[in-house]
């Protein structure tokens, strides 16, 4: 069983979003469930540079593991304000600390989609898949 | 309906991620597949390969029958020795790649891939007709446990009286291991020294547990199919379904040496393969090393100046090289010109062509 923190929002693409309730900038990463499914992450790239504006649902990067590659999506619309350089250097952080040091990027929110999931909803989603 | 090996409960208790492979529930990884890969390169790994097929061919003419059925010259194989070979169809297409062990004067064991062994058993039964030889598919009775890695011999030795020092690479001997009757083969699919232990299903769990215990201090870890795939890829070993298929001849796969035209008599596929051998193959299996960090994967096009000149058959990040590696079929003329790229989801990423294998163990 992977952990699913109560205080985050989630997407169907297995990303988490932190900080939605307290402000204009959110942090985004992939969930522990997704990291476990991927296996060892060997390469992370966010193609969209800091300062670019993305729409919710845009594919803005990719995560490669030994066995597969997955797109990284923008869960909200807005300006990319920071990309985690530590993860680019040490992709294994996504496995070892997916909700902490393994965060991927930060967005100044301009558009918040209505279909973000609560922790309970995301738990239901992943228990149906596994 | 997915099938399980006798070791499934062991894998579950170890927390393995299971995956469907050729209709079998197999361990993909137990924890980090990179750690499992590295353990096999530096110490040892323990694999469940019970999904593989064991087909016995027995009789006074078993060797001659296999000479007719397969591309190799098996009748001259000494008892106790093994050979890598293939079974092809009438047009020379590969139906499976095999290891054939000669257990005795009149007894051979053919080890086939999980996805193919039912077909191989049927083809063999058909092809040996007229010879004094009998084909029995015993895949359902046998489990297969492999210990692979530089410390394999020291882990296995305390569990058996068998003379492992005298057991050469590509040799096999019957022995007792941890109280169970086992066929010990010095073969593998990792590029390391190691052993494959053929054992009846009922002995599989105690054998696995004994090996786990014996290997604890040497750094033996259970290893899944994910590590097995990256290990064999680094070692330049083909995988049926990726590098090998019925649409590919042994010559295209760079394995023409396994086809023995010099053996007496006819064999299935001989006429077609003689025609293939007489001509240059238009494409060839090569190794690729990516210059960047994105991974060329199975099915991606190999390109040159925007034109497709080949296809990746297997690709993965390589622990041993620190860069992504791949095997691919590429047109000969494109190989001569050089400047190859792989189309990785729309962007042309430069790759270098290298000789296989990518990794060779130090003796």
């Amino acid at each position: 069983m992977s952990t699913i923190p109560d205080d985050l929002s989630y997407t169907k693409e297995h990303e988490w979003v932190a900080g939605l309730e307290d402000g204009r900038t959110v942090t985004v990463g992939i969930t522990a469930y997704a990291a476990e499914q991927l296996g060892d992450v060997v390469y992370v790239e966010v193609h969209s540079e800091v300062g670019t504006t993305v729409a919710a649902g845009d594919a803005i990067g990719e995560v490669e593991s030994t066995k597969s590659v997955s797109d990284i999506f923008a869960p909200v619309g807005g300006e990319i304000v920071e990309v985690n350089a530590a993860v680019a250097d040490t992709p294994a952080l996504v496995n070892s600390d997916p909700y902490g040091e393994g965060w991927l990027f930060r967005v100044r929110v301009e558009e918040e989609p209505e279909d973000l999931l609560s922790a309970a909803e995301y738990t239901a989603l992943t228990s149906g898949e596994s | 309906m997915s099938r399980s090996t006798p070791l499934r409960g062991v894998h579950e208790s170890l927390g393995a991620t299971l995956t469907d492979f050729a209709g079998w529930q197999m361990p993909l990884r137990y924890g980090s597949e990179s750690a499992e890969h590295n353990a096999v390169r530096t110490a040892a790994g323990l694999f469940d390969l019970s999904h593989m097929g064991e087909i016995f061919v027995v009789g006074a003419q078993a060797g001659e029958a296999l000479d007719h059925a397969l591309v190799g010259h098996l009748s001259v194989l000494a008892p106790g020795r093994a050979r890598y070979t293939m079974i092809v169809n009438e047009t020379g297409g590969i139906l499976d790649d095999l290891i054939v062990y000669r257990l005795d004067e009149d007894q051979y064991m053919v080890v086939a891939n999980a996805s193919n062994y039912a077909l191989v058993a049927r083809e063999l039964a058909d092809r040996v007709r007229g010879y004094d030889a009998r084909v029995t598919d015993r895949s359902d009775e046998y489990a297969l446990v492999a210990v692979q890695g530089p410390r394999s011999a020291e882990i296995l030795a305390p569990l058996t009286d068998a003379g492992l020092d005298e057991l050469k690479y590509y040799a096999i001997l019957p022995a007792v291991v941890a109280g169970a009757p086992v066929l010990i083969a010095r073969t593998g699919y990792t590029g390391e020294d190691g052993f494959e232990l053929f054992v009846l299903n009922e002995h599989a769990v105690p054998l696995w547990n004994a090996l786990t215990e014996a290997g604890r201090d040497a750094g033996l870890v259970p290893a899944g199919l994910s590590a097995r795939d990256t290990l064999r890829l680094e070692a330049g070993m083909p995988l049926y379904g990726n590098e090998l298929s019925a649409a590919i001849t042994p010559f295209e796969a760079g394995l023409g040496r396994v086809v023995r035209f010099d053996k007496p008599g006819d064999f299935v596929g001989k006429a077609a393969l003689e025609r293939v051998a007489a001509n240059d193959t238009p494409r060839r299996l090569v190794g690729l090393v990516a210059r960047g960090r994105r991974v060329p994967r199975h099915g991606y096009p190999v390109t040159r100046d925007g034109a497709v000149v080949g296809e990746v058959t297997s690709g993965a990040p390589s622990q041993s090289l620190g860069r992504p590696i791949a095997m691919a079929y590429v047109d000969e003329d494109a190989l001569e010109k050089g400047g190859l790229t792989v189309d990785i989801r729309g962007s042309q990423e430069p790759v270098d062509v290298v000789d296989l294998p990518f990794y060779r163990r130090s003796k």
Side-chain angles (χ1 to χ4, degrees):
Chain A
M1 256 327 273
S2 53
T3 53
I4 298 175
D6 283 339
D7 56 343
L8 304 177
S9 299
Y10 298 88
T11 71
K12 292 189 179 68
E13 284 77 32
H14 305 287
E15 291 175 349
W16 55 263
V17 182
L20 261 183
E21 55 291 331
D22 24 83
R24 302 297 301 150
T25 300
V26 296
T27 304
V28 180
I30 70 168
T31 65
Y33 174 85
E36 278 176 25
Q37 296 290 311
L38 284 169
D40 291 335
V41 173
V42 296
Y43 175 64
V44 176
E45 186 182 286
V46 176
H47 305 314
S48 298
E49 291 174 10
V50 169
T52 56
T53 297
V54 297
D58 282 359
I60 62 165
E62 58 194 12
V63 179
E64 295 225 31
S65 66
T66 306
K67 291 301 261 187
S68 66
V69 58
S70 307
D71 284 325
I72 298 170
F73 296 98
V76 297
E79 182 189 342
I80 306 276
V81 293
E82 193 175 354
V83 172
N84 188 356
V87 153
D89 289 341
T90 313
L93 289 173
V94 172
N95 296 107
S96 61
D97 192 8
Y99 299 112
E101 287 185 74
W103 67 275
L104 300 180
F105 57 94
R106 295 201 165 105
V107 184
R108 183 172 299 128
V109 182
E110 288 161 20
E111 170 207 2
E112 184 187 329
E114 288 166 5
D115 59 353
L116 291 177
L117 307 175
S118 68
E121 288 166 333
Y122 184 65
T123 303
L125 177 77
T126 55
S127 54
E129 283 186 17
S130 59
Chain B
M1 244 289 285
S2 236
R3 303 178 65 185
S4 297
T5 80
L7 291 160
R8 172 158 180 179
V10 173
H11 305 319
E12 285 176 342
S13 71
L14 289 166
T17 301
L18 298 177
T19 188
D20 182 272
F21 184 85
W24 292 77
Q25 282 293 304
M26 300 300 294
L28 180 64
R29 58 175 178 267
Y30 297 85
S32 156
E33 66 267 26
S34 310
E36 292 165 20
H37 177 112
N38 290 333
V40 174
R41 288 277 179 258
T42 59
L46 186 59
F47 296 84
D48 177 12
L49 308 175
S50 302
H51 58 318
M52 304 282 287
E54 295 83 11
I55 302 159
F56 287 72
V57 182
V58 180
Q61 291 183 302
E64 289 76 7
L66 287 171
D67 285 347
H68 170 70
L70 308 177
V71 299
H73 197 179
L74 290 316
S75 60
V76 295
L77 196 59
R81 301 308 300 267
R83 188 150 295 163
Y84 178 74
T85 186
M86 291 180 177
I87 182 168
V88 300
N89 60 24
E90 288 289 354
T91 57
I94 301 167
L95 296 179
D96 202 8
D97 63 335
L98 310 165
I99 296 180
V100 175
Y101 301 86
R102 187 168 199 171
L103 303 178
D104 211 331
E105 225 18 81
D106 62 354
Q107 186 172 193
Y108 290 78
M109 178 173 68
V110 176
V111 174
N113 285 299
S115 50
N116 296 327
Y117 72 73
L119 170 70
V120 173
R122 279 199 307 276
E123 281 290 330
L124 286 177
D126 196 38
R127 294 179 187 192
V128 308
R129 208 164 291 151
Y131 292 88
D132 180 2
R134 196 171 65 254
V135 174
T136 312
D137 180 358
R138 299 184 66 184
S139 305
D140 289 347
E141 302 165 46
Y142 272 88
L144 174 56
V145 172
V147 187
Q148 298 280 305
R151 300 189 72 174
S152 300
E154 69 178 276
I155 291 165
L156 183 56
L159 299 177
T160 180
D161 291 335
L164 298 182
D165 288 346
E166 287 78 49
L167 185 66
K168 294 181 181 138
Y169 189 52
Y170 266 68
I172 188 165
L173 97 170
V176 174
V177 179
V182 169
L183 290 167
I184 308 179
R186 200 158 202 158
T187 44
Y189 195 53
T190 60
E192 298 297 334
D193 185 20
F195 302 90
E196 293 182 307
L197 309 178
F198 297 88
V199 65
L200 290 172
N201 287 337
E202 66 216 67
H203 301 303
V205 171
L207 176 65
W208 176 281
N209 290 337
L211 287 162
T212 300
E213 192 57 39
R216 199 175 300 281
D217 294 338
L220 176 82
V221 301
L225 292 187
S226 183
R228 182 169 160 84
D229 191 47
T230 51
L231 289 159
R232 70 92 193 165
L233 177 59
E234 285 186 349
M237 295 170 166
L239 172 65
Y240 197 90
N242 287 31
E243 285 71 37
L244 310 180
S245 75
I248 299 280
T249 69
F251 292 94
E252 288 170 306
L255 294 164
R257 63 186 157 78
V258 306
V259 181
R260 296 293 300 274
F261 294 122
D262 57 341
K263 65 180 170 180
D266 194 15
F267 63 90
V268 179
K270 182 178 186 183
L273 288 175
E274 279 177 335
R275 287 192 296 275
V276 174
N279 296 294
D280 291 334
T281 53
R283 58 179 181 169
R284 165 161 74 90
L285 188 68
V286 297
L288 303 177
V289 177
R291 293 188 192 167
R293 292 171 70 185
R294 301 177 82 211
V295 183
R297 295 184 187 273
H298 176 74
Y300 288 8
V302 179
T303 49
R304 187 178 179 282
D305 285 344
V308 174
V309 296
E311 184 173 312
V312 173
T313 50
S314 297
S318 165
Q319 297 289 316
S320 303
L321 276 73
R323 292 165 70 190
I325 58 172
M327 289 198 270
Y329 282 104
V330 182
D331 295 343
E332 279 292 351
D333 55 340
L335 286 169
E336 277 166 33
K337 290 175 188 151
L340 298 183
T341 49
V342 173
D343 182 337
I344 300 185
R345 297 182 296 287
S347 80
Q348 311 305 313
E349 305 278 353
V351 292
D352 293 307
V353 177
V354 300
D355 290 335
L356 295 171
F358 299 99
Y359 166 88
R360 206 186 290 273
R361 71 185 147 108
S362 47
K363 294 278 175 181

